Amino acid sequence: MRLLSIVCAFYFHAVAATQAQVEPIGVKPGETINIDSDETDYDHDSGIATARGNVHINYGDTEILAGKAEYHISSGDIHAENEVSIYKGNLAYKGNAVIYNINTGKITANHLKSGKAPLFYESDSFDTQLKQMDNISMTSSVFTTHDSATPNYRIKAKKIDIIGLDRPRHQQRIIFRNMTVYAGNTPVFWLPYLSQPLDAEQGYHFVPGFRSNWGAFLLNRYGMMLGEHTLATYHLDLRSTRGVAGGVDLKLISERENKHFGNLKVYYANDNDPSETHNKRRRKTQIDPDRYRLNLQHRIYLPGPEDNTLFLDFDINKISDAFFYEDFFPDEYRINPQPDNLISLQKIFPRGSASLWARFRANDFYRTTTHLPELALDFTTQPIGKTGLFYTGATSAGIYREKLGAIERERMLAEIDKLEARVAGLPDGQPRRIRELSLVEAESMLGQLKTLTNDEPGFTRLDSYHQLSSPRKYFGWLNVNPRAGFRATSYTNVEGGSESDTRTAVHLGLDTSFKVSRDYANFNLPGLGIKGIRHIVQPYVNYSFVASEELNSDIGKIDRLIPSTRLRPIDLAHFTATDSITDWNIIRPGISQRFQTRRDGAAHTWLELNTYFDAYLKDPEYDRDFSNVYNSVTFKPVHWVSLSHEVGLPIFADEPFDYTEHNTHLAFMPTDKFEFIVSHRYLQDHPLFENSNLLDFRAYYRLSDRWGLSARQRYEFDDGTLEYQQYTVHYDLNSWTAGLGALIADHRSGSDEFGIVLTLTLKDLPSLSIPVGLTPSH
């Protein structure tokens, strides 16, 4: 065996003595090209080193194996043939004839196999640069993510370009031209073009199934890149009882920060049956069959992306009718049933922010509070020189109006007609709840409804709050923070001709707390990863006093309190119900506890508890003496179990607010085959909310390496209703996961909702997946 070692430092002298015009291009001083083979020779005239038999070439981190190879010194090309293998890092290339350039790292080949997990491909023509490993171009290619000699799926394409393998994940993508997807050897579908980012939910997706209010359906999505930073998703949806619908989503990604900063969604449906609800009931409201949505969320940095402290935000949502989301996008409807419309200009300062924003009415069927416009200045808590005092403040001014929704107004007017009939002594034909009202009750309700429908509140308001605080520590352990604040709110241009008014409020507060801790070095729970604990106890007492002038009763309340089971904020700086400020005098004692252990060189809190309640010297809402006693628990010792529990108990509370509330969430994975999530909501005897005893259970069990079962049930114990059931069978197809599921929903009125959905997901490349979900949505 002969070994030819070309060392650049030596080569300059050797070549200069024999053939001065030949220079090794691209080889750095001190780097070595090693060519090991059965037979090696070098032609000084052509500048070509030739190796034959068991060729093994090393240069840097690149290794080439072949039956024969030629190294062209002048160009830097290595021509390799006969069972060629090229290795660089975790990449491997295999072919019969390959040209590799040591200067640029470019590799050119005919019929080459390669891969970088989870991507595996072969091509009749291959072109890339190993040094950057940025772009790969292939023609007449086969692509798969199934690492097998006989993959269960593959994609054939006339041309495949893999872009940006050495770039950040969000800049990587695959471009297919004239592509056909095969399941085994059977073609499944064809696409003329697909630009597929590797980290986005794009590509071709389809969800077939059946729902009671849609009939049989097939939801289709096709995703592609438009330029470098825009993801486009096209929709074409078929529903047998609703008809054809479609649209497009555009998502913009910031080049500098890889942040999602823009979104445009357009969707149109020519609905065959717009009066049908999700539970097969019929709507009395007339709905136009031309139904649509237009959603724009976008952020513009001013003067440009290099400055992210000044920006303009758009959140615009125009829809055809109040039932559109409920009928076509039920997932979005559950999260945000009445989307807002906002435009805001914001400037962030080191110690505060300024904003100019507008909330406007784009959908007249929703009740809307408009801010046209509002200017706000907020100042974070900050020191005043070296005085030991801290300042917090906020000022806002705007024009505010509250407008009833069209459907809500129609219902109120219908209710007015019923009450007027009762007052006139004509109760026949009216609902029982109307007939049983006394004349005084009917007249009172009638007056309130007429006021609501005729006098929608509105005014121009200037609100300003300023607070001083002086946190101190006494005796080395007692934390004391006295606070004093003043708030003034001026109302002018009041709707209904009411006089202007100004309300002032004075706030005094005192926060006190201290901490004690104790270490238990010998307390160990190895199964939960606990080795020694530190117990930290922090008792605290917060006091808040507000003396406020009474607001003119003719001024309607827009930013007002809404019913809640939780305690209100007692710091006036955080009290957002501006129009509902009134006198209060509240003491909030409590005790928080933390249990910590050392993990990965840092303190890990695995258990937290916080217990507190309000004692009312003056209750601003319901004339109570005490609130419920609240306790929150968070337990997260390890990643496979977590528990949170919030409880409100009527230990001191008086009627009618002596209600009981529990909110519990448990996620537990006891084995590698089984995991479940249990959520429980319990509310009993609240004077403003219905009783509830709702259990939500989700579970997944892996039967074997291929089979799995999942289920979800939601049961309301208060009325014995199994509200929701979902059952799915999952099957692992190596590269793909298939699921077949069914759902049944009991809406307590009208017909039940039911559906069947088939899902398919590509495991190794989720961005090419068909999304899993038994509530089909986009």
Side-chain angles (χ1 to χ4, degrees):
M1 178 181 291
R2 295 183 56 193
L3 174 64
L4 174 63
S5 180
I6 303 175
V7 183
C8 289
F10 165 79
Y11 181 81
F12 280 117
H13 297 283
V15 174
T18 58
Q19 192 172 351
Q21 73 271 19
V22 180
E23 295 183 359
I25 301 173
V27 180
K28 300 177 181 179
E31 288 192 345
T32 304
I33 301 175
N34 291 319
I35 303 177
D36 189 6
S37 65
D38 294 339
E39 180 183 348
T40 306
D41 58 64
Y42 175 67
D43 187 333
H44 289 274
D45 294 332
S46 62
I48 298 175
T50 304
R52 300 175 184 86
N54 297 316
V55 179
H56 187 182
I57 302 175
N58 282 291
Y59 175 63
D61 63 347
T62 302
E63 184 178 8
I64 301 175
L65 304 178
K68 179 183 177 181
E70 292 181 352
Y71 173 43
H72 296 240
I73 295 173
S74 60
S75 64
D77 284 338
I78 296 176
H79 294 248
E81 58 186 66
N82 298 334
E83 298 183 359
V84 181
S85 298
I86 301 178
Y87 301 96
K88 183 179 177 68
N90 60 353
L91 287 168
Y93 295 86
K94 296 182 182 295
N96 196 47
V98 177
I99 301 175
Y100 172 63
N101 188 279
I102 65 171
N103 304 329
T104 63
K106 182 177 181 179
I107 180 171
T108 305
N110 290 324
H111 199 80
L112 189 74
K113 294 182 179 181
S114 183
K116 182 178 182 181
L119 311 179
F120 304 95
Y121 39 85
E122 64 177 286
S123 173
D124 287 345
S125 176
F126 187 92
D127 190 358
T128 188
Q129 291 191 178
L130 283 181
K131 279 194 173 179
Q132 287 92 14
M133 259 320 300
D134 196 27
N135 300 331
I136 296 174
S137 181
M138 300 176 285
T139 57
S140 299
S141 306
V142 178
F143 169 91
T144 186
T145 60
H146 186 196
D147 187 7
S148 171
T150 56
N152 56 21
Y153 92 96
R154 53 202 168 93
I155 298 173
K156 285 187 176 181
K158 185 176 182 181
K159 185 177 182 182
I160 298 177
D161 293 313
I162 304 177
I163 309 297
L165 285 178
D166 270 2
R167 300 181 194 173
R169 185 73 171 170
H170 73 279
Q171 296 181 6
Q172 300 175 4
R173 70 179 189 271
I174 303 176
I175 299 174
F176 300 93
R177 291 176 175 86
N178 195 8
M179 61 174 282
T180 303
V181 178
Y182 289 80
N185 294 319
T186 304
V188 177
F189 61 86
W190 170 87
L191 290 173
Y193 178 87
L194 173 64
S195 178
Q196 175 63 53
L198 296 185
D199 69 336
E201 286 289 335
Q202 297 296 305
Y204 177 65
H205 305 240
F206 66 92
V207 179
F210 181 87
R211 289 190 65 171
S212 52
N213 62 322
W214 286 0
F217 64 82
L218 178 63
L219 309 182
N220 299 275
R221 294 168 50 186
Y222 176 48
M224 61 183 295
M225 291 292 297
L226 299 179
E228 292 288 331
H229 305 290
T230 303
L231 302 177
T233 304
Y234 300 93
H235 301 269
L236 179 61
D237 300 333
L238 310 175
R239 302 174 177 90
S240 63
T241 62
R242 295 287 191 176
V244 180
V248 62
D249 300 345
L250 299 178
K251 181 185 292 186
L252 278 68
I253 306 295
S254 168
E255 179 178 7
R256 182 173 64 92
E257 297 179 341
N258 186 27
K259 290 183 178 178
H260 174 204
F261 71 99
N263 210 35
L264 173 65
K265 295 183 179 181
V266 181
Y267 192 84
Y268 170 80
N270 185 259
D271 195 348
N272 293 336
D273 194 2
S275 64
E276 184 179 51
T277 69
H278 64 282
N279 58 349
K280 302 291 287 182
R281 302 184 72 185
R282 311 301 298 183
R283 295 189 180 101
K284 297 180 180 179
T285 305
Q286 193 71 24
I287 305 295
D288 193 309
D290 292 319
R291 309 180 72 182
Y292 61 87
R293 68 183 287 179
L294 173 63
N295 310 104
L296 173 65
Q297 289 79 38
H298 190 69
R299 170 168 290 184
I300 300 174
Y301 289 101
L302 304 171
E306 66 280 356
D307 180 9
N308 57 9
T309 64
L310 177 63
F311 48 87
L312 181 64
D313 280 345
F314 295 89
D315 186 2
I316 298 174
N317 302 277
K318 175 63 178 174
I319 56 178
S320 57
D321 57 83
F323 309 104
F324 177 84
Y325 283 105
E326 182 180 357
D327 289 346
F328 292 97
F329 297 91
D331 285 347
E332 294 185 41
Y333 176 75
R334 276 188 285 272
I335 296 172
N336 186 15
Q338 296 187 13
D340 221 333
N341 284 275
L342 302 167
I343 299 177
S344 66
L345 176 65
Q346 299 187 56
K347 173 64 178 178
I348 307 298
F349 301 101
R351 295 187 175 183
S353 65
S355 62
L356 176 65
W357 60 292
R359 173 186 285 151
F360 58 95
R361 187 178 195 181
N363 306 298
D364 61 5
F365 37 79
Y366 290 149
R367 179 190 285 229
T368 307
T369 299
T370 62
H371 297 207
L372 296 173
E374 179 179 273
L375 175 64
L377 298 172
D378 292 282
F379 298 95
T380 59
T381 301
Q382 52 198 277
I384 303 176
K386 297 182 180 180
T387 62
L389 297 176
F390 289 79
Y391 169 77
T392 304
T395 299
S396 64
I399 302 172
Y400 308 89
R401 297 288 184 274
E402 185 174 56
K403 299 181 179 296
L404 291 174
I407 297 176
E408 184 180 22
R409 181 181 291 277
E410 289 178 4
R411 291 172 179 170
M412 286 186 176
L413 292 176
E415 193 76 1
I416 286 174
D417 291 339
K418 296 172 185 176
L419 289 169
E420 285 180 337
R422 172 67 184 89
V423 170
L426 302 171
D428 294 342
Q430 302 303 325
R432 180 179 177 180
R433 58 182 177 80
I434 298 294
R435 296 196 307 268
E436 292 180 351
L437 289 174
S438 67
L439 186 60
V440 174
E441 290 173 332
E443 290 176 340
S444 175
M445 292 180 60
L446 181 61
Q448 293 176 14
L449 286 175
K450 285 186 174 181
T451 299
L452 287 173
T453 54
N454 296 328
D455 300 325
E456 296 175 335
F459 43 71
T460 300
R461 186 182 70 202
L462 172 64
D463 179 66
S464 188
Y465 179 74
H466 306 274
Q467 176 180 283
L468 294 177
S469 60
S470 180
R472 294 284 191 274
K473 179 172 284 189
Y474 296 98
F475 316 113
W477 56 271
L478 179 61
N479 301 302
V480 178
N481 183 20
R483 295 174 284 112
F486 176 79
R487 190 163 190 165
T489 311
S490 176
Y491 298 82
T492 57
N493 301 321
V494 179
E495 289 285 339
S498 300
E499 296 182 0
S500 302
D501 195 10
T502 298
R503 183 202 60 213
T504 59
V506 175
H507 176 221
L508 299 176
L510 180 66
D511 300 335
T512 62
S513 67
F514 66 90
K515 291 182 182 179
V516 294
S517 65
R518 183 175 179 179
D519 292 341
Y520 299 88
N522 297 323
F523 184 91
N524 299 315
L525 293 173
L528 297 178
I530 298 171
K531 186 176 181 180
I533 64 171
R534 170 170 292 176
H535 182 200
I536 303 171
V537 180
Q538 182 176 4
Y540 60 88
V541 177
N542 298 333
Y543 171 73
S544 180
F545 169 83
V546 171
S548 172
E549 295 179 333
E550 187 174 348
L551 188 65
N552 189 329
S553 60
D554 292 336
I555 298 177
K557 293 178 173 61
I558 293 179
D559 292 326
R560 56 184 177 269
L561 291 174
I562 58 175
S564 174
T565 63
R566 313 308 295 174
L567 296 181
R568 311 290 189 184
I570 60 174
D571 186 345
L572 197 57
H574 302 147
F575 194 84
T576 58
T578 306
D579 303 325
S580 294
I581 295 175
T582 185
D583 295 348
W584 73 60
N585 196 355
I586 303 172
I587 300 173
R588 180 171 294 172
I591 181 170
S592 68
Q593 302 180 69
R594 286 180 294 162
F595 293 82
Q596 297 179 333
T597 189
R598 296 292 296 180
R599 187 174 298 170
D600 298 327
H604 172 71
T605 301
W606 56 275
L607 177 61
E608 289 185 88
L609 302 94
N610 189 22
T611 306
Y612 57 95
F613 67 95
D614 278 356
Y616 299 103
L617 305 179
K618 182 174 180 57
D619 183 5
E621 294 184 80
Y622 304 115
D623 196 28
R624 296 164 293 181
D625 293 324
F626 296 97
S627 72
N628 272 3
V629 176
Y630 294 89
N631 185 58
S632 62
V633 179
T634 302
F635 178 65
K636 293 182 178 180
V638 286
H639 69 277
W640 46 266
V641 62
S642 65
L643 171 68
S644 63
H645 180 65
E646 295 181 346
V647 59
L649 300 174
I651 296 176
F652 307 123
D654 299 323
E655 292 185 354
F657 288 90
D658 54 343
Y659 60 91
T660 301
E661 180 184 17
H662 294 268
N663 293 297
T664 308
H665 181 84
L666 170 65
F668 187 36
M669 188 174 181
T671 72
D672 60 352
K673 293 185 177 182
F674 180 59
E675 61 181 312
F676 64 88
I677 298 174
V678 178
S679 299
H680 182 230
R681 160 79 168 164
Y682 179 83
L683 183 64
Q684 194 72 22
D685 298 329
H686 195 286
L688 303 177
F689 298 105
E690 292 183 357
N691 291 340
S692 179
N693 189 0
L694 183 65
L695 179 71
D696 188 295
F697 176 78
R698 311 178 199 189
Y700 176 82
Y701 185 75
R702 185 163 59 90
L703 297 171
S704 66
D705 290 341
R706 290 187 177 274
W707 289 95
L709 299 174
S710 66
R712 180 180 181 182
Q713 293 185 343
R714 188 167 63 239
Y715 187 81
E716 176 56 72
F717 289 91
D718 191 65
D719 57 12
T721 302
L722 184 57
E723 295 182 346
Y724 187 84
Q725 304 173 69
Q726 172 183 316
Y727 307 98
T728 309
V729 178
H730 306 273
Y731 183 69
D732 190 329
L733 298 168
N734 291 325
S735 296
W736 298 80
T737 298
L740 179 63
L743 68 88
I744 302 174
D746 185 344
H747 297 286
R748 306 187 195 183
S749 58
S751 303
D752 292 346
E753 178 186 0
F754 60 92
I756 299 173
V757 176
L758 171 66
T759 61
L760 199 62
T761 302
L762 180 58
K763 296 189 298 182
D764 292 326
L765 194 61
S767 56
L768 288 176
S769 69
I770 297 161
V772 175
L774 282 178
T775 306
S777 190
H778 297 282

mmCIF file of all heavy atoms in Angstrom, residues 461-477:
data_model
loop_
_atom_site.group_PDB
_atom_site.id
_atom_site.type_symbol
_atom_site.label_atom_id
_atom_site.label_comp_id
_atom_site.label_asym_id
_atom_site.label_seq_id
_atom_site.Cartn_x
_atom_site.Cartn_y
_atom_site.Cartn_z
ATOM 1 N N ARG A 461 -63.695 60.986 29.224
ATOM 2 C CA ARG A 461 -63.183 60.768 30.574
ATOM 3 C C ARG A 461 -61.670 61.012 30.640
ATOM 4 O O ARG A 461 -60.923 60.592 29.756
ATOM 5 C CB ARG A 461 -63.472 59.334 31.007
ATOM 6 C CG ARG A 461 -63.121 59.022 32.470
ATOM 7 C CD ARG A 461 -63.400 57.569 32.798
ATOM 8 N NE ARG A 461 -62.462 56.680 32.126
ATOM 9 C CZ ARG A 461 -62.696 55.390 31.879
ATOM 10 N NH1 ARG A 461 -63.854 54.848 32.249
ATOM 11 N NH2 ARG A 461 -61.796 54.645 31.271
ATOM 12 N N LEU A 462 -61.269 61.703 31.705
ATOM 13 C CA LEU A 462 -59.858 61.887 32.035
ATOM 14 C C LEU A 462 -59.628 61.283 33.408
ATOM 15 O O LEU A 462 -60.276 61.658 34.381
ATOM 16 C CB LEU A 462 -59.487 63.372 32.043
ATOM 17 C CG LEU A 462 -58.089 63.719 32.569
ATOM 18 C CD1 LEU A 462 -57.010 63.127 31.675
ATOM 19 C CD2 LEU A 462 -57.914 65.237 32.688
ATOM 20 N N ASP A 463 -58.717 60.306 33.474
ATOM 21 C CA ASP A 463 -58.464 59.595 34.721
ATOM 22 C C ASP A 463 -56.970 59.623 35.018
ATOM 23 O O ASP A 463 -56.147 59.327 34.132
ATOM 24 C CB ASP A 463 -58.955 58.148 34.611
ATOM 25 C CG ASP A 463 -58.690 57.356 35.884
ATOM 26 O OD1 ASP A 463 -59.299 57.697 36.918
ATOM 27 O OD2 ASP A 463 -57.875 56.421 35.830
ATOM 28 N N SER A 464 -56.615 59.976 36.261
ATOM 29 C CA SER A 464 -55.196 60.067 36.620
ATOM 30 C C SER A 464 -54.994 59.566 38.043
ATOM 31 O O SER A 464 -55.742 59.938 38.957
ATOM 32 C CB SER A 464 -54.720 61.525 36.500
ATOM 33 O OG SER A 464 -53.321 61.618 36.662
ATOM 34 N N TYR A 465 -53.978 58.705 38.207
ATOM 35 C CA TYR A 465 -53.668 58.144 39.515
ATOM 36 C C TYR A 465 -52.174 58.293 39.786
ATOM 37 O O TYR A 465 -51.334 58.027 38.913
ATOM 38 C CB TYR A 465 -54.049 56.662 39.585
ATOM 39 C CG TYR A 465 -53.725 56.032 40.915
ATOM 40 C CD1 TYR A 465 -54.499 56.324 42.037
ATOM 41 C CD2 TYR A 465 -52.648 55.171 41.059
ATOM 42 C CE1 TYR A 465 -54.209 55.760 43.271
ATOM 43 C CE2 TYR A 465 -52.352 54.600 42.296
ATOM 44 C CZ TYR A 465 -53.130 54.907 43.395
ATOM 45 O OH TYR A 465 -52.844 54.372 44.627
ATOM 46 N N HIS A 466 -51.846 58.703 41.015
ATOM 47 C CA HIS A 466 -50.459 58.906 41.406
ATOM 48 C C HIS A 466 -50.269 58.363 42.821
ATOM 49 O O HIS A 466 -51.102 58.607 43.706
ATOM 50 C CB HIS A 466 -50.093 60.391 41.353
ATOM 51 C CG HIS A 466 -50.396 61.009 40.017
ATOM 52 N ND1 HIS A 466 -49.521 60.969 38.966
ATOM 53 C CD2 HIS A 466 -51.518 61.656 39.572
ATOM 54 C CE1 HIS A 466 -50.069 61.569 37.926
ATOM 55 N NE2 HIS A 466 -51.278 61.993 38.269
ATOM 56 N N GLN A 467 -49.189 57.617 43.014
ATOM 57 C CA GLN A 467 -48.969 56.941 44.290
ATOM 58 C C GLN A 467 -47.513 57.059 44.711
ATOM 59 O O GLN A 467 -46.598 56.961 43.893
ATOM 60 C CB GLN A 467 -49.356 55.460 44.164
ATOM 61 C CG GLN A 467 -49.089 54.631 45.409
ATOM 62 C CD GLN A 467 -49.490 53.184 45.217
ATOM 63 O OE1 GLN A 467 -50.663 52.842 45.254
ATOM 64 N NE2 GLN A 467 -48.505 52.319 45.005
ATOM 65 N N LEU A 468 -47.307 57.238 46.010
ATOM 66 C CA LEU A 468 -45.988 57.210 46.616
ATOM 67 C C LEU A 468 -45.922 56.035 47.588
ATOM 68 O O LEU A 468 -46.890 55.743 48.291
ATOM 69 C CB LEU A 468 -45.704 58.507 47.369
ATOM 70 C CG LEU A 468 -45.597 59.790 46.524
ATOM 71 C CD1 LEU A 468 -45.395 60.996 47.431
ATOM 72 C CD2 LEU A 468 -44.475 59.684 45.508
ATOM 73 N N SER A 469 -44.790 55.364 47.597
ATOM 74 C CA SER A 469 -44.578 54.257 48.532
ATOM 75 C C SER A 469 -43.172 54.361 49.100
ATOM 76 O O SER A 469 -42.288 54.993 48.516
ATOM 77 C CB SER A 469 -44.781 52.902 47.849
ATOM 78 O OG SER A 469 -43.873 52.745 46.767
ATOM 79 N N SER A 470 -42.981 53.737 50.257
ATOM 80 C CA SER A 470 -41.683 53.820 50.932
ATOM 81 C C SER A 470 -41.373 52.483 51.601
ATOM 82 O O SER A 470 -41.561 52.316 52.812
ATOM 83 C CB SER A 470 -41.695 54.950 51.972
ATOM 84 O OG SER A 470 -40.444 55.046 52.625
ATOM 85 N N PRO A 471 -40.905 51.491 50.809
ATOM 86 C CA PRO A 471 -40.606 50.174 51.386
ATOM 87 C C PRO A 471 -39.416 50.244 52.340
ATOM 88 O O PRO A 471 -38.397 50.864 52.045
ATOM 89 C CB PRO A 471 -40.289 49.324 50.151
ATOM 90 C CG PRO A 471 -39.890 50.298 49.093
ATOM 91 C CD PRO A 471 -40.659 51.543 49.359
ATOM 92 N N ARG A 472 -39.570 49.610 53.482
ATOM 93 C CA ARG A 472 -38.521 49.609 54.500
ATOM 94 C C ARG A 472 -38.426 48.210 55.122
ATOM 95 O O ARG A 472 -39.370 47.421 55.073
ATOM 96 C CB ARG A 472 -38.844 50.608 55.616
ATOM 97 C CG ARG A 472 -38.831 52.079 55.189
ATOM 98 C CD ARG A 472 -37.396 52.588 55.039
ATOM 99 N NE ARG A 472 -37.364 54.035 54.893
ATOM 100 C CZ ARG A 472 -37.493 54.682 53.745
ATOM 101 N NH1 ARG A 472 -37.697 53.986 52.642
ATOM 102 N NH2 ARG A 472 -37.444 55.999 53.701
ATOM 103 N N LYS A 473 -37.256 47.928 55.690
ATOM 104 C CA LYS A 473 -37.070 46.705 56.455
ATOM 105 C C LYS A 473 -36.648 47.096 57.870
ATOM 106 O O LYS A 473 -35.686 47.831 58.057
ATOM 107 C CB LYS A 473 -36.019 45.803 55.825
ATOM 108 C CG LYS A 473 -35.761 44.509 56.610
ATOM 109 C CD LYS A 473 -34.852 43.554 55.868
ATOM 110 C CE LYS A 473 -35.612 42.865 54.760
ATOM 111 N NZ LYS A 473 -34.816 41.757 54.148
ATOM 112 N N TYR A 474 -37.404 46.602 58.857
ATOM 113 C CA TYR A 474 -37.140 46.915 60.254
ATOM 114 C C TYR A 474 -36.664 45.664 60.992
ATOM 115 O O TYR A 474 -37.135 44.552 60.714
ATOM 116 C CB TYR A 474 -38.400 47.465 60.924
ATOM 117 C CG TYR A 474 -38.846 48.796 60.331
ATOM 118 C CD1 TYR A 474 -39.860 48.842 59.369
ATOM 119 C CD2 TYR A 474 -38.257 49.994 60.731
ATOM 120 C CE1 TYR A 474 -40.276 50.043 58.819
ATOM 121 C CE2 TYR A 474 -38.664 51.211 60.187
ATOM 122 C CZ TYR A 474 -39.671 51.222 59.229
ATOM 123 O OH TYR A 474 -40.068 52.424 58.692
ATOM 124 N N PHE A 475 -35.751 45.892 61.902
ATOM 125 C CA PHE A 475 -35.207 44.815 62.749
ATOM 126 C C PHE A 475 -34.507 43.732 61.933
ATOM 127 O O PHE A 475 -34.244 42.638 62.430
ATOM 128 C CB PHE A 475 -36.299 44.166 63.612
ATOM 129 C CG PHE A 475 -37.227 45.151 64.246
ATOM 130 C CD1 PHE A 475 -38.563 45.197 63.869
ATOM 131 C CD2 PHE A 475 -36.765 46.071 65.190
ATOM 132 C CE1 PHE A 475 -39.428 46.110 64.440
ATOM 133 C CE2 PHE A 475 -37.631 46.989 65.768
ATOM 134 C CZ PHE A 475 -38.957 47.014 65.396
ATOM 135 N N GLY A 476 -34.229 44.023 60.665
ATOM 136 C CA GLY A 476 -33.545 43.066 59.810
ATOM 137 C C GLY A 476 -34.416 41.955 59.270
ATOM 138 O O GLY A 476 -33.926 41.082 58.557
ATOM 139 N N TRP A 477 -35.754 41.978 59.563
ATOM 140 C CA TRP A 477 -36.611 40.884 59.108
ATOM 141 C C TRP A 477 -38.029 41.304 58.737
ATOM 142 O O TRP A 477 -38.715 40.604 57.988
ATOM 143 C CB TRP A 477 -36.704 39.799 60.182
ATOM 144 C CG TRP A 477 -37.180 40.301 61.522
ATOM 145 C CD1 TRP A 477 -36.411 40.797 62.529
ATOM 146 C CD2 TRP A 477 -38.535 40.384 61.984
ATOM 147 N NE1 TRP A 477 -37.181 41.178 63.589
ATOM 148 C CE2 TRP A 477 -38.503 40.916 63.287
ATOM 149 C CE3 TRP A 477 -39.775 40.037 61.433
ATOM 150 C CZ2 TRP A 477 -39.665 41.149 64.035
ATOM 151 C CZ3 TRP A 477 -40.930 40.245 62.173
ATOM 152 C CH2 TRP A 477 -40.861 40.799 63.468
#
